[in-house]
Structure formats: structure tokens, C-alpha cells
Amino acid sequence: MVHDADQRLAASPVEPEPAGERPSVAAVRRSGDVLIASGQVAARDGKLLAEGRVGEDVSLDVARSCAWQCARNVLTAVQGELALDAVEQVETVSVWVASAPGFTDQHLVADAATALFTEVFGDDAGRHARVALGVAALPTGSPVEVQATFRVRTAS
């Protein structure tokens, strides 16, 4: 049995169209009691807090402020879907740090995002698994990007 998705794939071009209009990406997606928030960059009021790579263009302290802002932006996206009190547990947090060669303190940058999640949800519900990765560059030149997955309370 051929399904519509199979037919659409068969009909799609082999190569992508030239860059132009960007596809729509959801700020959050919910599947049952799991809520996944898309990655958020270090922007406030439509403007990046800093640009560039940590350890080169951006200091550790500024990068930590960026991680905090990214985490706030994740929480704002979650609030667009449900009240924060509906979050039962922060499950995972991924932090990408645009890093200069030799910069190895990504974990210290990520600690600022972890601190905000813990502050908002408390020590138990805010405690999460985490990865902090150094990368060459991030979208829009942001020095940090944060993505998170949450478990939400189900109606009883």
C-alpha cells in the first residue's frame, strides 16, 4: 500500500530549491507528555546580545549571559504552548557554544542555562541531563544556542 507521504517523496525534486523563503519551524512540539522546544539563540527584543565565538570575540561572562537569555527564550516558547506550572520535569538541555579554537569551557557557559531552569522549576524538576558542545558557528552569529525537552503533566 502506497501512502501519501511516499507519493510526495517520490514526486519531490532530487535537489533542494535555491535558498530563499525559509520553511516554517515550530517553536515547540508536543507529543503526549513530552514537549520539545526548538533551539533559541541569544536574542532579546529582536537583537543579539553578542555576536561571534566565545574565547575570541565574546568573553566567558558575556557568553553566560547569552546562555541565560537563550534559556529564557526557550521558556517563553514553552509559555506559548502551556503554563510553566504544567512542566513536571526538565528532561534534557542541549547547549551549543560557538567556540574559538582551544576554548574548552563550554560547560561553564551551559551552567548559566542550567541555573535558570533550576531557578524556575526548582532543584528536583529543574534538574536535567545536559550536553554542552563547542561548534565553529551558530545561526545569525549567536555565540550560544539552547534547546530543551520537557515532560508535562497529563490531565488526570
Side-chain angles (χ1 to χ4, degrees):
M1 170 181 243
V2 176
H3 297 283
D4 288 342
D6 295 312
Q7 292 172 344
R8 287 191 299 271
L9 176 60
S12 73
V14 177
E15 296 285 327
E17 296 289 327
E21 188 174 321
R22 298 195 58 234
S24 176
V25 176
V28 295
R29 290 291 297 185
R30 184 172 180 174
S31 178
D33 65 348
V34 175
L35 186 73
I36 303 167
S38 290
Q40 297 289 327
V41 297
R44 184 184 307 138
D45 300 324
K47 184 177 176 189
L48 287 175
L49 299 184
E51 290 184 44
R53 295 193 294 184
V54 183
E56 187 175 82
D57 311 303
V58 179
S59 71
L60 177 60
D61 287 340
V62 170
R64 288 175 52 77
S65 293
C66 289
W68 181 274
Q69 185 63 50
C70 291
R72 285 189 62 90
N73 293 346
V74 165
L75 294 175
T76 298
V78 170
Q79 284 180 312
E81 178 73 15
L82 48 78
L84 292 180
D85 284 342
V87 171
E88 185 174 344
Q89 179 70 51
V90 181
E91 295 288 351
T92 63
V93 174
S94 299
V95 180
W96 292 272
V97 181
S99 301
F103 181 79
T104 59
D105 286 336
Q106 291 84 1
H107 61 292
L108 299 179
V109 175
D111 286 349
T114 290
L116 181 60
F117 289 123
T118 303
E119 179 180 315
V120 170
F121 296 108
D123 289 336
D124 290 332
R127 188 179 203 94
H128 52 267
R130 186 184 82 192
V131 62
L133 300 169
V135 297
L138 289 166
T140 69
S142 181
V144 183
E145 182 171 350
V146 173
Q147 183 271 335
T149 303
F150 304 86
R151 186 174 62 243
V152 297
R153 291 181 179 83
T154 54
S156 23

